[in-house]
Amino acid sequence: MKHTGSSPLLAPVTWLRLFGSWSIVGLFTVFGSQWLGDSLNGTTATLAFLVLFITILAASFGVVREADHLAHQLGEPYGTLILTLSIVLIEVILIASVLLGPGDFPTIGRDSIYAVMMIILNLITGLCLIAGAARNGDQAFNRQGTRTYLSMIVLLTSMALILPNYTRTAGEFSTTQAIAISILTGLIYALFLSLQMGSRRHDYMQPHDTVPGAKNATPPPRDPQATRAMLIRSLVLIALILPIVLLAHDLAIVTDYGIAASGAPVAVGGVLIAIIVFTPESITAIKAAMNNEMQRAINLCLGAFVSTVGLTVPVVLLIGLISGKQVVMGISNTDMVLFLLTVMLSMLSFGGPRTSPIHGYMHLMVFAVFGLLLFYP
């Protein structure tokens, strides 16, 4: 994509997002301690939450926009990986802010991972299957790469959310276990990424793109203008992530206050983080399915959840060890049933050579049950 004088590299909405997000950062840096201090009340908390929520969500859309441009320039799976890691980094920052905040939320890591699973693997996957079929009919995808994603999901999520229920301290890892699980999770995720970007890259491309010798082909020389555009977009992406980092702590304060004041389930905090973080990427995935790019949609959905577990679990466990705060990872028996349903249904949905919309409706049903049990356990 060449940049010309008639087509500005950065759209006006990008400049607006940068100006708006950094302006809010400035305001909360100067007045945040006064607004969110001991005098915090319901009205102030509501207004602050709306401002922070909209700002962080707008910045997240900006991150996705810039990462999406990089994705198209780099091709699969590199581009989608940049997009996914950018979004998951935001999630990890928000979870860390809640854990290190003034409140006591030992289950925020578990709740966030579980909520992301239900939203990404059921709601968004279901919508992708339905929307993609409505426009393009049954869609082809790369079964080998999809099976690898699902295998990683079964392994990492079972280790993180189910295994703790059967340790000596039910629901938690001991210090030694937490260190070992963090290292093992980080290692297997790093190995997965190295293969995804290296010798197994062809497993994550559309089937018609995987031609003999393509994975060993030498990429064409990069256009200097394209390289310059990538550098600028990368800097803008960082400039949009930083406000999210700086505002995450303030959002955690008003979220804690709102959950306590309203008597809402503690798990709502994890759902809120998942919504903030993955709404922009979810829209991108649905658009990809409608454009007959089902493999890209799968890379975004399944890849996002693999990255979520692979990065969030080590960070949450290490924060717990360093800060001395309690970290509960084990999910309830009810959640375990929905976890198993989601995994088995995902395996069946992507078990054949092409997708089917009926599986999409099944995924939506599981998500509806998740929402029901969240408020009526």
Side-chain angles (χ1 to χ4, degrees):
M1 180 185 69
K2 289 191 176 184
H3 167 52
T4 64
S6 60
S7 177
L9 179 61
L10 299 181
V13 68
T14 300
W15 291 109
L16 182 61
R17 286 186 177 120
L18 285 168
F19 175 78
S21 59
W22 281 103
S23 296
I24 297 300
V25 168
L27 287 173
F28 274 85
T29 299
V30 176
F31 302 106
S33 58
Q34 176 183 340
W35 292 339
L36 308 179
D38 295 335
S39 60
L40 181 64
N41 54 50
T43 302
T44 304
T46 301
L47 291 175
F49 174 80
L50 289 175
V51 170
L52 291 169
F53 181 87
I54 293 172
T55 302
I56 291 177
L57 190 61
S60 297
F61 270 103
V63 169
V64 169
R65 179 186 175 90
E66 300 308 314
D68 202 33
H69 281 290
L70 293 173
H72 283 292
Q73 287 183 306
L74 292 172
E76 295 297 336
Y78 303 113
T80 299
L81 189 59
I82 288 177
L83 176 57
T84 297
L85 291 179
S86 298
I87 291 299
V88 173
L89 175 62
I90 295 173
E91 183 202 16
V92 172
I93 292 166
L94 292 175
I95 293 174
S97 298
V98 175
L99 274 175
L100 296 173
D104 186 20
F105 294 91
T107 64
I108 188 64
R110 174 199 73 184
D111 294 339
S112 297
I113 293 173
Y114 183 69
V116 169
M117 180 178 193
M118 291 296 111
I119 291 173
I120 293 293
L121 298 191
N122 286 316
L123 176 61
I124 306 307
T125 296
L127 292 176
C128 285
L129 294 176
I130 295 169
R135 176 168 290 188
N136 307 291
D138 294 352
Q139 295 174 283
F141 59 95
N142 196 315
R143 296 169 69 183
Q144 184 61 43
T146 304
R147 280 199 297 265
T148 304
Y149 277 135
L150 292 173
S151 298
M152 286 288 291
I153 288 171
V154 171
L155 173 64
L156 295 183
T157 313
S158 298
M159 289 290 182
L161 303 184
I162 295 181
L163 181 61
N165 288 326
Y166 301 96
T167 58
R168 183 171 298 177
T169 306
E172 302 178 44
F173 289 119
S174 67
T175 299
T176 303
Q177 291 169 344
I179 294 173
I181 293 296
S182 298
I183 294 174
L184 290 172
T185 299
L187 285 176
I188 194 65
Y189 180 65
L191 179 61
F192 167 77
L193 286 185
S194 66
L195 291 173
Q196 184 184 23
M197 294 186 293
S199 61
R200 307 305 302 182
R201 178 187 176 188
H202 55 285
D203 288 344
Y204 305 92
M205 300 168 66
Q206 279 291 135
H208 55 74
D209 291 333
T210 311
V211 296
K215 61 180 178 178
N216 298 319
T218 303
R222 188 172 297 281
D223 183 357
Q225 286 292 95
T227 301
R228 175 177 171 272
M230 287 178 59
L231 176 61
I232 293 174
R233 290 194 182 281
S234 299
L235 292 175
V236 172
L237 186 147
I238 294 172
L240 286 167
I241 288 179
L242 284 176
I244 299 173
V245 175
L246 298 173
L247 295 173
H249 177 71
D250 295 322
L251 181 65
I253 292 176
V254 294
T255 301
D256 295 352
Y257 179 91
I259 290 175
S262 65
V266 176
V268 170
V271 175
L272 181 63
I273 289 177
I275 292 173
I276 292 174
V277 173
F278 286 99
T279 293
E281 186 178 16
S282 299
I283 294 173
T284 303
I286 295 170
K287 287 181 178 178
M290 295 178 68
N291 290 335
N292 204 22
E293 299 175 306
M294 180 52 70
Q295 186 57 45
R296 184 157 190 263
I298 290 172
N299 290 346
L300 287 167
C301 291
L302 301 188
F305 186 63
V306 170
S307 297
T308 294
V309 185
L311 293 176
T312 303
V313 170
V315 170
V316 168
L317 292 179
L318 291 177
I319 287 177
L321 291 174
I322 294 171
S323 67
K325 289 195 172 185
Q326 182 187 25
V327 174
V328 177
M329 295 298 294
I331 58 177
S332 67
N333 290 334
T334 303
D335 292 341
M336 206 179 301
V337 172
L338 289 183
F339 163 80
L340 294 174
L341 276 175
T342 298
V343 169
M344 290 188 292
L345 182 57
S346 297
M347 289 180 173
L348 293 172
S349 297
F350 298 110
R354 304 180 76 84
T355 62
S356 170
I358 186 61
H359 288 108
Y361 292 106
M362 295 178 189
H363 282 283
L364 293 185
M365 176 181 173
V366 177
F367 179 78
V369 173
F370 161 70
L372 173 67
L373 295 178
L374 178 65
F375 292 97
Y376 300 98

